[in-house]
Amino acid sequence: MKDKKQKNTNRGYMTLEASLIVPMVLSAIFMTLFCLIFVYERGIILSSENEALYTIPLKDIRNDSVTAYLSGRDYEEGMAYGSCNVNVDYTGHKAGCEGMIHLYSDSDISSKREIDVCVDRLRRWQLYDDIAEK
């Protein structure tokens, strides 16, 4: 008679484990996978934006057609699950890409770069250096 009572208590323990612990573990695994996919998609868009900003041809900068070049790029090249739309902006030697990723929710991603301002900054520092010597 003692053996029958032990079997009943073991069944209750397995029921508790199957109904509470297993769903929590599975939920944690799915949330981890979702977060990894989200970070991957976000990284793909960010790298595409930075690649576009730092590979602008010199002829496009001189012809002031940076906006056309940035608009013609494919930012969804490596995306596997979501979609995105990227707005580009070029004003006053500052180029920027502002993207939005659409996966399960929307998230903003933006990159900016100053183009062809190095010479002006170099002249400014030379001027400051001359003033400091006097």
Side-chain angles (χ1 to χ4, degrees), residues 42-80:
R42 189 173 167 88
I44 289 290
I45 294 175
L46 186 62
S47 67
S48 297
E49 286 178 355
N50 284 329
E51 180 184 356
L53 287 173
Y54 285 95
T55 58
I56 299 171
L58 188 59
K59 67 176 179 127
D60 288 336
I61 294 171
R62 288 182 180 161
N63 296 335
D64 208 22
S65 61
V66 174
T67 306
Y69 173 77
L70 291 175
S71 297
R73 296 285 302 226
D74 181 24
Y75 296 98
E76 294 186 24
E77 186 176 341
M79 293 187 65

Side-chain angles (χ1 to χ4, degrees), residues 10-103:
N10 287 341
R11 285 185 195 159
Y13 174 74
M14 294 301 288
T15 303
L16 179 67
E17 182 179 322
S19 65
L20 292 178
I21 296 172
V22 171
M24 288 190 323
V25 169
L26 289 176
S27 298
I29 290 171
F30 285 127
M31 286 300 293
T32 303
L33 288 174
F34 168 73
C35 290
L36 288 173
I37 289 170
F38 183 74
V39 167
Y40 171 76
E41 297 288 326
R42 189 173 167 88
I44 289 290
I45 294 175
L46 186 62
S47 67
S48 297
E49 286 178 355
N50 284 329
E51 180 184 356
L53 287 173
Y54 285 95
T55 58
I56 299 171
L58 188 59
K59 67 176 179 127
D60 288 336
I61 294 171
R62 288 182 180 161
N63 296 335
D64 208 22
S65 61
V66 174
T67 306
Y69 173 77
L70 291 175
S71 297
R73 296 285 302 226
D74 181 24
Y75 296 98
E76 294 186 24
E77 186 176 341
M79 293 187 65
Y81 299 102
S83 65
C84 73
N85 58 350
V86 177
N87 298 324
V88 296
D89 183 34
Y90 178 68
T91 54
H93 297 289
K94 293 181 183 178
C97 294
E98 295 181 7
M100 181 171 285
I101 182 172
H102 308 287
L103 198 53

